[in-house]
Amino acid sequence: MSFRKQITISLIIVIMAAGISYGIIYYENKNTRLASEEDAYNQGLTAFEKGDWNKAKELLSEVSKDSPYYQKAQSEIKEADNKITEEKINKAVKAATGALQEETEKAQQQATEAKQKAKAAEEAAGTLKEQTEKAKQEAAEAKQKAEEANQALQQEKSKEADLSSIVSQWKPLVGLVYCEFRYSDTFYKYLSKSGSGIAIKFANQSLSIITNKHVVTDASGYGAYACVFAFPDHFYIYKNDGNWEGIKVYSGLDGALVNVSNADWYLLNLTASFPKLCQNKPSEGDKVVILGYPAIGSSEGITVTQGIISGFEGNYFITDAKIDAGNSGGAAILVKDNCLLGLPTYGVIGGAESLGRILDFNVFVQK
């Protein structure tokens, strides 16, 4: 055998030995990697079963794409993501529930404090009752003196009072009326109305505020939930007690009487002298003065308009005096006798002018 042939054979043997060694090393490494990924997969499943979703996701992510466990690992990773998301949601719900519980306990504490304050107010009411009885007695004495003084004044009066003195006399009795209407179950406000009203006290009756029925009732006839009566220097709040006994309406007439059961000294003193009601029917052409709070009137106080008696219509007097929305329930004064004629009720608009209606005040006395 030649030397060259020996060299060639030796090279072939070396190359074959190297290939065999490489193959052995390759398969050993592959088996080692597969064993490692199988171990990672099994550890990931163990972590998943223990509920350690993040650890399971981390271990399962080590499985390579060419591993026989890859598809199963990806499925478990997706499930772990779902579990992680679910866990976050549960934590958020738990936090929100805790906050709600805290707010509920706070509200209960506030309710307890409110009850304690109500009890204290009830105890104070005993003392207030004595003061109220004393005030009533003083009011009765003041009323008697005022009536005597008023009678003497009327006897001395022989001529028509001027408009300025009429307004000054009647203005304190006429107030702005604002009413809110709410559903009895939800207390949601569905309507509000405004108008005017006059404070008065009939003999042997509690103090009242008289206004038009359409101011204190809605279209279905339900009474207002609460009303504020704002007089020039005072205000009174009426709140429905649920049985509607505080508001009396007159069938067939646009009139209503609001009973002031807890009148304070100001209102009692204001109505101590019963206002003079007109005893005689006015004539066409007699002057009238309207006092009230129309929506387009003064923004700083009462608005005064004047006119004459233009005609008659049942229990209503027709007048050309200006009566706009908001005047309803105010006072209509007959100038020649300086007496309360009735309640401005509504206006009827014609082509260019409008005529108002005044509800005869005597219907309240008769009914």
Side-chain angles (χ1 to χ4, degrees), residues 129-145:
K129 184 177 180 181
E130 294 182 6
Q131 298 175 346
T132 302
E133 292 299 327
K134 183 178 180 181
K136 286 182 179 180
Q137 183 178 355
E138 293 175 348
E141 295 174 356
K143 178 185 177 182
Q144 183 178 356
K145 292 180 180 179

Side-chain angles (χ1 to χ4, degrees), residues 296 305-308 310 318-325 327 346-357:
I296 62 173
T305 59
Q306 62 176 317
I308 63 170
S310 304
I318 303 174
T319 179
D320 66 350
K322 192 72 172 177
I323 298 178
D324 287 301
N327 269 128
Y346 62 93
V348 178
I349 301 175
E353 300 292 337
S354 64
L355 291 175
R357 299 301 192 271

Side-chain angles (χ1 to χ4, degrees), residues 162-216:
D162 64 88
L163 293 179
S164 178
S165 63
I166 289 176
V167 173
S168 298
Q169 178 183 346
W170 293 95
K171 176 181 176 180
L173 294 169
V174 182
L176 169 66
V177 181
Y178 172 78
C179 295
E180 288 188 351
F181 299 79
R182 297 176 181 268
Y183 294 113
S184 59
D185 54 348
T186 63
F187 296 102
Y188 175 78
K189 184 178 78 173
Y190 65 91
L191 179 66
S192 63
K193 290 186 177 183
S194 62
S196 304
I198 181 168
I200 195 169
K201 187 178 185 304
F202 295 103
N204 301 321
Q205 294 185 24
S206 61
L207 190 150
S208 304
I209 297 175
I210 295 180
T211 183
N212 286 131
K213 179 166 62 176
H214 72 263
V215 175
V216 294

Side-chain angles (χ1 to χ4, degrees), residues 249-366:
V249 296
Y250 294 81
S251 178
L253 298 173
D254 192 5
L257 183 149
V258 179
N259 180 40
V260 182
S261 59
N262 57 341
D264 56 16
W265 171 249
Y266 179 90
L267 290 176
L268 291 172
N269 185 55
L270 185 66
T271 57
S273 177
F274 188 82
K276 179 182 177 182
L277 302 183
C278 296
Q279 301 299 317
N280 300 314
K281 184 178 180 179
S283 302
E284 291 93 341
D286 284 347
K287 294 180 180 179
V288 290
V289 173
I290 307 297
L291 288 81
Y293 295 83
I296 62 173
S298 171
S299 61
E300 299 180 358
I302 201 166
T303 297
V304 181
T305 59
Q306 62 176 317
I308 63 170
I309 296 296
S310 304
F312 307 95
E313 190 178 76
N315 290 312
Y316 295 88
F317 305 109
I318 303 174
T319 179
D320 66 350
K322 192 72 172 177
I323 298 178
D324 287 301
N327 269 128
S328 300
I333 311 302
L334 185 63
V335 174
K336 70 177 183 180
D337 295 327
N338 190 20
C339 59
L340 181 59
L341 181 63
L343 298 183
T345 302
Y346 62 93
V348 178
I349 301 175
E353 300 292 337
S354 64
L355 291 175
R357 299 301 192 271
I358 300 171
L359 177 60
D360 188 351
F361 203 92
N362 282 297
V363 300
F364 297 99
V365 179
Q366 295 167 1

Side-chain angles (χ1 to χ4, degrees), residues 69-142:
Y69 300 102
Y70 178 75
Q71 294 298 330
K72 292 182 179 180
Q74 291 300 308
S75 177
E76 297 296 335
I77 288 173
K78 184 176 181 181
E79 183 66 21
D81 284 335
N82 292 335
K83 293 292 185 180
I84 291 171
T85 301
E86 182 179 347
E87 190 175 67
K88 289 181 179 179
I89 293 174
N90 290 336
K91 286 183 179 179
V93 171
K94 185 176 180 180
T97 303
L100 179 60
Q101 178 65 26
E102 184 177 345
E103 290 295 326
T104 301
E105 292 175 354
K106 183 178 179 182
Q108 290 175 343
Q109 182 179 356
Q110 291 174 344
T112 301
E113 293 174 354
K115 287 182 180 179
Q116 293 173 347
K117 290 181 180 179
K119 184 177 179 180
E122 184 177 354
E123 294 174 352
T127 303
L128 181 61
K129 184 177 180 181
E130 294 182 6
Q131 298 175 346
T132 302
E133 292 299 327
K134 183 178 180 181
K136 286 182 179 180
Q137 183 178 355
E138 293 175 348
E141 295 174 356

Side-chain angles (χ1 to χ4, degrees), residues 35-56:
S36 175
E37 289 182 353
E38 180 179 5
D39 184 57
Y41 176 75
N42 290 328
Q43 290 183 26
L45 291 180
T46 301
F48 189 93
E49 292 174 354
K50 291 181 179 180
D52 190 351
W53 321 119
N54 289 307
K55 183 65 176 178

